[in-house]
Amino acid sequence: MKIESSLPFYIRIIIGVLGIVLLIGVTFWGSIGYISANDAQNMYNDLNKTVQSISGPLDIFKNNFFLSTLMIIPFIGIFLAMVIAYNTGQAFAAISIVKYGSNLGGKLFLLTMFFPHFWFEYISYGFAAVQSLIFVYSIIKALKIKKYEVLLTELLITVIIIGMVAALLLIGAIIEYNLIT
C-alpha cells in the first residue's frame, strides 16, 4: 500500500519557510505599529507579571507550546498565528515606549533575531501555522478525489510536526530562560 501525502516534502519546506517569513513580517509590522502610552503601560505591566511568574523553562515552554497548538488548528490556525505574531510585535512596541519613551519596537524586535531562541520559536510557529493550511488543503483534496487515506497521512504528519514543534520550543525555552535569569 502506497502512502499518499497531499504535498511533496520539498513543497512543505518551501511553504514552511514562507510561513516563517510571513510571521516575522507580521511581528515586525506590529512592533512598528501605533500603540498609545496608556495601552503600552498596561501591556508592559501584564508582561512584567508574566515574566515574574516564570519559575523555569517549562513555564516558557508551556506558553509557547499552547500558542503553537492554536496555530496548527485547521481553518483558523493561520489567522490565529498572524494575530499572535502582531500582538507579539505590539509587546515590543509597548516595552520600548515605556522603557525609552518612543516606539523603538521595530529595532528591539530586529535585535531579538540575533538570539537563538527567536529562531527556535519562529521556525516552530511558521511550520505549525503552515500545517494548518496544508491540512485544510488535504481535506479539500481528499473530498475532491475521494481518497480519504490522504487525511490519515496528513494526520500522521501533523502529529510529527507537533512533536518537532515541541522539541524546538523546549530547546528555545531552555535558552530563553537562561538568557532572562
Side-chain angles (χ1 to χ4, degrees):
M1 180 173 128
K2 182 184 174 202
I3 297 176
E4 188 176 334
S5 173
S6 62
L7 288 173
F9 182 73
Y10 76 95
I11 297 291
R12 288 176 185 277
I13 297 298
I14 292 168
I15 296 171
V17 169
L18 292 174
I20 295 164
V21 170
L22 173 69
L23 292 179
I24 289 171
V26 171
T27 306
F28 182 74
W29 181 38
S31 73
I32 62 172
Y34 173 77
I35 183 169
S36 71
N38 189 42
D39 288 343
Q41 186 63 57
N42 290 336
M43 188 178 278
Y44 181 80
N45 293 342
D46 289 342
L47 286 168
N48 268 340
K49 287 178 193 169
T50 302
V51 169
Q52 290 171 0
S53 71
I54 294 172
S55 61
L58 282 181
D59 291 330
I60 296 170
F61 169 77
K62 286 188 288 189
N63 177 65
N64 292 346
F65 188 68
F66 172 73
L67 295 175
S68 72
T69 57
L70 292 175
M71 294 176 190
I72 210 164
I73 298 171
F75 298 102
I76 62 170
I78 190 73
F79 302 108
L80 292 173
M82 288 192 280
V83 168
I84 291 165
Y86 185 83
N87 286 338
T88 300
Q90 287 281 275
F92 282 101
I95 291 167
S96 69
I97 289 169
V98 171
K99 288 287 222 175
Y100 307 111
S102 65
N103 189 351
L104 303 171
K107 292 177 183 175
L108 192 58
F109 173 68
L110 291 175
L111 282 174
T112 359
M113 293 175 78
F114 289 101
F115 294 99
H117 69 279
F118 172 93
W119 293 104
F120 283 107
E121 290 174 14
Y122 274 85
I123 289 169
S124 297
Y125 297 154
F127 278 91
V130 162
Q131 185 59 22
S132 164
L133 289 177
I134 292 172
F135 205 91
V136 171
Y137 170 77
S138 298
I139 291 169
I140 293 167
K141 182 178 180 181
L143 292 172
K144 185 176 180 181
I145 64 173
K146 297 185 181 359
K147 280 188 143 184
Y148 304 104
E149 305 84 39
V150 172
L151 292 178
L152 291 175
T153 302
E154 207 54 54
L155 188 58
L156 176 62
I157 292 169
T158 301
V159 170
I160 292 168
I161 288 175
I162 290 170
M164 177 197 80
V165 163
L168 290 173
L169 288 176
L170 182 59
I171 294 167
I174 292 167
I175 294 169
E176 186 174 356
Y177 181 75
N178 285 308
L179 287 172
I180 63 175
T181 54

